[in-house]
Amino acid sequence: MASKPSYTCLPCRLNSLKKPLHRRYLTISPSRRDAESLRPSIAPKPTIDLRHIRQNPELYSQNCLKRNYKGQSDSPFKIVKLFEEWQALQRSARNMRERNNNLRTKLSHARTFSGQEEDSEGLNTAQGRENVLEEARQLKTQISDIETKEAQLTAGMDGLAVQLPNITSTETPVGDNAHVLGYINEHPEPVSSTSDRVWRSHVHIGSELELLDFAAASTTSGWGWYYLMNEAALLELALVQYALSVAMKKGWKIVSPPSIVYSHIAAACGFRPRDRNGEQQVYALQQAEKDKERDKPELSLAGTGEIPLAGLKANQILEEEELPLKAVGVSRCYRAEAGSRGADTKGLYRVHEFTKVEMFAWTMPDGPETGLSHSKRVFEDMVEIQKEILRALGLHCRILEMPSTDLGASATRKQDVEAYFPSRREKDDGWGEVTSASICTDYQARRLGTRVRTDRFGRKTEWPHTVNGTAMAVPRVLAALLENGWDEKEMCVRVPAVLQPWMGGMDVIRKKGQQL
């Protein structure tokens, strides 16, 4: 005997078809969440201005080429194409959603099927009701498929957009050549052929005065590490203290940031695991298998204090009255890529680990209606602090407006200060970078979820601008001090007066056991 088909009441069948109405067609569906699963749930959600990219694809493409981001130069046009596909899906799905909603409404208001109402859908018969339910099921499946494709397209646009570099400032030279803006202090050897001064590299001086030990470090940690010994260790502390004292007198608040950060925070600041040439530049901490299974976010060693300082206000809303908010912090920094072997990388100039004093600020976005550039004002203050510190240390330096190809992903504009290193006279005429300062506009704020509440638009939030700059990169400045302060006749190094209070009053570093 054939069994009777199971019976499901109409309300239960309706519940199986229920789906929330779409007030906005760009909502996050379950499939969209699947597409975003690679980003940790705790990570700030990037909010990129996709509309501006779609409206100006040529601008963004040319910007990539100017900055040597050739691999991303087609991305703006790909975003436009993906958006057109997304719009087409929206149009095709709209009728389905309307039809589906109409069917569910009619089914939910169905009477007792006594023929009292006009029955255009055939709801007064069992077969008619089943046909309508089947059509609703098909529509539900089709809409779900479309939403999956929409999510994939949206994730594709977001993924391409987040990789684009910041728009370059009009004050940034296009190309490979920096513009010299000025100099600090006099050149110690303006005409080398007429000077009888003996120059030594900091590696030689460090060995002679028992200040540096690279051999022991290579045994302990490998190439690119070092030991600062005796007075060199004191010099490191003195340089940090002096830089902090200058910044704090200018109103910068001191912070002691962590050196280990989530990898997604580093990426949001513009630091990727590999650079444009494919070289590893970030040390990622190895995860335990149980952490991978639990999808715990990856951790990295911070390459600069800029990263943890920027993360200080991630996913937060600042008040307009707080800005500019200026922080200065000391941290150990870690760089996996330390350059190829050679004159550029000997000694302390390019290493894997170093101490740095970093300045970081949040400012109001620039006001086009007033012509004010809040970030530029703080940027100029940073450069003045850098110049004051290097001037007091007695180092001969030059200030450069860096070209577009030298800018990192987050920067719209960057100035470097280079010091004169006698040991580098055969390379770049002795010049070597010791500080930099960058304006990042809203690039980092959009990726870190940092907002500012402002009166400009009725207490609504905007994206603050961020600015960062080096107050002190210890190894390079220390190397420059050893080389420029070396006295061949006396076999000693002169200590700048501004550092002596943190060196116990020491004014000269001599060879151990040497008599005055």
Side-chain angles (χ1 to χ4, degrees):
M1 181 177 177
S3 60
K4 293 183 179 180
S6 60
Y7 173 76
T8 305
C9 68
L10 182 58
C12 293
R13 283 186 281 180
L14 286 174
N15 285 332
S16 69
L17 295 172
K18 281 185 179 178
K19 194 172 183 65
L21 291 173
H22 288 255
R23 295 184 179 180
R24 293 178 58 203
Y25 291 127
L26 189 55
T27 54
I28 299 180
S29 63
S31 55
R32 170 73 183 277
R33 287 193 291 271
D34 292 341
E36 294 183 341
S37 61
L38 294 178
R39 184 174 58 84
S41 59
I42 64 170
K45 179 173 168 45
T47 308
I48 313 302
D49 193 348
L50 285 169
R51 175 181 292 181
H52 194 263
I53 297 173
R54 295 196 309 267
Q55 293 174 342
N56 304 277
E58 187 65 33
L59 169 67
Y60 282 86
S61 178
Q62 287 300 314
N63 184 62
C64 289
L65 295 174
K66 289 177 183 177
R67 298 175 67 144
N68 201 26
Y69 279 74
K70 296 179 181 178
Q72 285 75 37
S73 61
D74 290 335
S75 295
F77 300 105
K78 292 178 180 177
I79 289 171
V80 172
K81 185 175 183 299
L82 290 174
F83 183 71
E84 290 173 350
E85 294 178 23
W86 180 86
Q87 282 184 311
L89 283 176
Q90 288 283 293
R91 288 191 293 269
S92 65
R94 189 170 294 115
N95 289 337
M96 292 184 190
R97 292 188 177 107
E98 291 175 353
R99 174 63 176 166
N100 193 39
N101 291 339
N102 184 45
L103 288 177
R104 288 192 294 108
T105 299
K106 288 190 174 184
L107 284 168
S108 64
H109 288 86
R111 305 289 184 177
T112 56
F113 314 117
S114 60
Q116 295 177 7
E117 295 185 352
E118 184 179 349
D119 186 20
S120 59
E121 301 289 349
L123 295 175
N124 290 344
T125 65
Q127 185 60 47
R129 292 193 298 275
E130 188 58 41
N131 290 341
V132 170
L133 287 168
E134 179 58 29
E135 182 182 356
R137 292 190 196 97
Q138 292 178 2
L139 285 170
K140 179 181 176 182
T141 300
Q142 292 170 359
I143 291 171
S144 178
D145 291 343
I146 286 177
E147 287 181 338
T148 299
K149 294 176 183 177
E150 287 175 354
Q152 292 170 348
L153 293 172
T154 301
M157 288 186 284
D158 290 342
L160 291 170
V162 80
Q163 297 288 339
L164 294 174
N166 203 347
I167 292 295
T168 309
S169 168
T170 55
E171 297 185 73
T172 296
V174 176
D176 300 321
N177 299 318
H179 290 175
V180 179
L181 301 177
Y183 293 88
I184 303 171
N185 296 327
E186 296 296 324
H187 198 294
E189 192 182 38
V191 183
S192 59
S193 60
T194 63
S195 172
D196 60 356
R197 182 171 179 177
V198 177
W199 297 104
R200 301 290 185 186
S201 75
H202 67 277
V203 176
H204 173 90
I205 297 167
S207 175
E208 189 74 24
L209 302 184
E210 299 179 34
L211 301 175
L212 306 174
D213 195 334
F214 294 101
S218 84
T219 300
T220 304
S221 307
W223 176 82
W225 273 270
Y226 54 93
Y227 282 100
L228 297 180
M229 311 293 292
N230 303 309
E231 292 90 343
L234 289 177
L235 265 178
E236 175 176 51
L237 298 175
L239 287 168
V240 168
Q241 290 293 337
Y242 174 60
L244 285 175
S245 70
V246 173
M248 291 170 66
K249 287 177 183 176
K250 305 290 185 180
W252 294 73
K253 306 299 183 183
I254 189 168
V255 177
S256 181
S259 294
I260 295 178
V261 298
Y262 283 129
S263 298
H264 60 260
I265 295 293
C269 292
F271 293 85
R272 301 286 171 179
R274 296 189 177 275
D275 63 14
R276 285 167 283 181
N277 299 317
E279 292 192 57
Q280 182 183 355
Q281 61 178 350
V282 174
Y283 283 112
L285 301 186
Q286 185 174 359
Q287 281 188 308
E289 288 301 321
K290 63 179 182 179
D291 290 338
K292 291 180 182 179
E293 293 171 1
R294 293 162 57 192
D295 291 326
K296 291 190 69 174
E298 292 183 356
L299 291 166
S300 301
L301 296 178
T304 168
E306 172 191 345
I307 298 170
L309 289 175
L312 182 64
K313 298 300 180 182
N315 276 340
Q316 293 189 36
I317 297 178
L318 308 175
E319 297 298 331
E320 183 174 357
E321 297 76 20
E322 298 180 74
L323 305 187
L325 182 59
K326 301 183 292 186
V328 58
V330 185
S331 68
R332 296 290 278 182
C333 305
Y334 301 86
R335 305 282 175 91
E337 185 276 307
S340 58
R341 295 179 184 272
D344 187 43
T345 55
K346 285 181 180 178
L348 295 174
Y349 189 78
R350 198 178 296 275
V351 292
H352 290 301
E353 179 181 3
F354 57 97
T355 301
K356 188 166 75 151
V357 182
E358 182 79 6
M359 297 177 286
F360 193 92
W362 297 263
T363 76
M364 286 296 295
D366 296 344
E369 68 281 354
T370 60
L372 291 176
S373 178
H374 303 279
S375 57
K376 183 178 179 181
R377 188 179 303 166
V378 173
F379 174 76
E380 291 172 347
D381 290 344
M382 280 185 177
V383 175
E384 286 303 315
I385 290 173
Q386 294 170 342
K387 290 160 65 175
E388 178 179 338
I389 291 171
L390 295 169
R391 185 181 297 111
L393 293 175
L395 297 175
H396 175 55
C397 304
R398 65 178 183 177
I399 304 100
L400 303 176
E401 187 75 51
M402 300 309 292
S404 57
T405 54
D406 194 76
L407 270 58
S410 62
T412 183
R413 182 186 177 193
K414 182 163 82 89
Q415 284 185 11
D416 283 359
V417 180
E418 295 182 338
Y420 176 71
F421 291 80
S423 66
R424 292 171 58 84
R425 284 174 295 175
E426 302 301 318
K427 181 179 178 61
D428 299 327
D429 296 324
W431 297 112
E433 177 196 341
V434 288
T435 73
S436 68
S438 301
I439 301 176
C440 298
T441 61
D442 62 2
Y443 182 97
Q444 294 174 330
R446 284 181 172 275
R447 288 160 174 78
L448 289 169
T450 305
R451 292 179 175 270
V452 56
R453 201 186 327 272
T454 172
D455 289 326
R456 191 181 301 178
F457 299 111
R459 301 299 292 168
K460 291 186 178 179
T461 59
E462 295 186 63
W463 303 106
H465 286 191
T466 58
V467 191
N468 65 81
T470 313
M472 179 62 62
V474 169
R476 290 189 183 182
V477 173
L478 193 152
L481 288 176
L482 293 181
E483 294 186 11
N484 286 279
W486 174 250
D487 186 325
E488 179 73 14
K489 183 179 178 180
E490 298 292 331
M491 297 290 287
C492 67
V493 172
R494 306 290 175 183
V495 177
V498 293
L499 299 182
Q500 292 174 21
W502 289 282
M503 296 279 292
M506 185 185 304
D507 60 349
V508 173
I509 300 174
R510 300 182 183 277
K511 191 170 184 177
K512 307 301 171 284
Q514 181 179 350
Q515 298 297 318
L516 295 177

